Amino acid sequence: SQKIEQNSEALNIQEGKTATLTCNYTNYSPAYLQWYRQDPGRGPVFLLLIRENEKEKRKERLKVTFDTTLKQSLFHITASQPADSATYLCALHGSGNTGKLIFGQGTTLQVKP
Amino acid sequence: DTAVSQTPKYLVTQMGNDKSIKCEQNLGHDTMYWYKQDSKKFLKIMFSYNNKELIINETVPNRFSPKSPDKAHLNLHINSLELGDSAVYFCASSRGLAGGQETQYFGPGTRLLVL
């Protein structure tokens, strides 16, 4: 069955450094991959979408890569700030045209001042 | 202006009770979803509706019954609540189905605790 894995251990980094989060998937070849941010007590918020034919996508300090050979996406936050502290979820679209997204369990990022 | 709203925000109830959660979106979207997020933070799709038509019905106990009176509303009714139903339930919407290209907009969640 389709499986998505994100590092369940929290990632702690110093302010100003680059945070890199990993999303690996198996038994699947998604055409799209999305990243969401979730703050405690709130719903996920969309950040970026990358297509299978795109190697890289950028938005301000965020960068996402999508390696369909390795079945992996990397999510980078450059010049990280304490306000970037949150849980980051990757999501793959399920097969067919149902709008279904399959989410990873998320990685919690803590940026220390 | 809240794009996707849910009521109630918190729900504490006894085992065996029946409860409903309501969701409304003012984004003009055609598709709405219900997700369950358990204590381990896994976010799992339960149901989706597109223009009031049921599209996704994951393996969810039939104690859970969604209802979409119009495309701006999607409610979730739960019968005979069990301890394992305790979780955060999120409503979401998207413009359409579009095979995974669509951004989903999430509500604030309803925290259900079954005692």
Side-chain angles (χ1 to χ4, degrees):
Chain A
S1 61
Q2 300 156 354
K3 196 174 177 185
I4 303 172
E5 286 186 355
Q6 295 184 254
N7 191 347
S8 58
E9 290 183 14
L11 179 62
N12 295 298
I13 64 167
Q14 207 64 36
E15 183 176 7
K17 300 291 185 185
T18 296
T20 299
L21 286 68
T22 305
C23 175
N24 294 301
Y25 57 93
T26 56
N27 299 330
Y28 193 51
S29 297
Y32 309 95
L33 188 147
Q34 302 187 27
W35 283 89
Y36 287 76
R37 169 182 172 144
Q38 186 173 21
D39 290 283
R42 300 194 154 206
V45 175
F46 171 77
L47 295 174
L48 282 167
L49 178 148
I50 187 165
R51 294 172 171 76
E52 61 178 345
N53 60 354
E54 296 176 315
K55 296 296 181 190
E56 184 179 295
K57 196 84 169 274
R58 290 177 186 261
K59 180 183 175 183
E60 297 171 354
R61 295 184 295 110
L62 308 181
K63 184 178 88 171
V64 171
T65 63
F66 192 8
D67 189 325
T68 55
T69 302
L70 291 178
K71 293 187 182 293
Q72 181 182 79
S73 175
L74 299 179
F75 178 82
H76 305 272
I77 306 175
T78 57
S80 60
Q81 303 166 0
D84 296 326
S85 300
T87 296
Y88 292 87
L89 306 166
C90 74
L92 307 180
H93 101 271
S95 57
N97 190 29
T98 64
K100 177 179 176 179
L101 287 181
I102 302 167
F103 281 85
Q105 77 270 38
T107 298
T108 298
L109 172 66
Q110 191 72 34
V111 181
K112 297 180 179 176
Chain B
D1 278 349
T2 305
V4 182
S5 58
Q6 294 179 230
T7 53
K9 189 165 183 180
Y10 299 97
L11 191 49
V12 181
T13 188
Q14 298 289 328
M15 216 165 43
N17 284 350
D18 303 338
K19 289 292 178 187
S20 292
I21 307 172
K22 295 187 175 183
C23 178
E24 177 180 359
Q25 55 95 1
N26 63 6
L27 297 167
H29 288 169
D30 286 345
T31 309
M32 295 185 73
Y33 311 81
W34 277 113
Y35 286 87
K36 178 180 180 181
Q37 189 170 45
D38 60 25
S39 57
K40 292 184 180 178
K41 304 298 183 186
F42 274 103
L43 194 62
K44 290 190 68 176
I45 183 78
M46 299 173 69
F47 303 102
S48 77
Y49 273 75
N50 187 63
N51 276 322
K52 303 194 295 175
E53 180 188 350
L54 181 65
I55 301 296
I56 296 173
N57 184 352
E58 292 291 290
T59 44
V60 176
N62 57 15
R63 298 182 295 104
F64 290 78
S65 52
K67 191 170 260 189
S68 182
D70 56 61
K71 70 177 194 178
H73 296 84
L74 180 61
N75 303 323
L76 183 66
H77 188 76
I78 315 171
N79 287 325
S80 303
L81 277 155
E82 300 178 357
L83 295 176
D85 297 332
S86 297
V88 182
Y89 292 84
F90 286 101
C91 177
S93 72
S94 64
R95 283 186 311 176
L97 298 173
Q101 296 184 69
E102 294 291 346
T103 300
Q104 293 190 11
Y105 295 79
F106 284 80
T110 294
R111 283 137 194 87
L112 172 66
L113 178 60
V114 182
L115 302 175

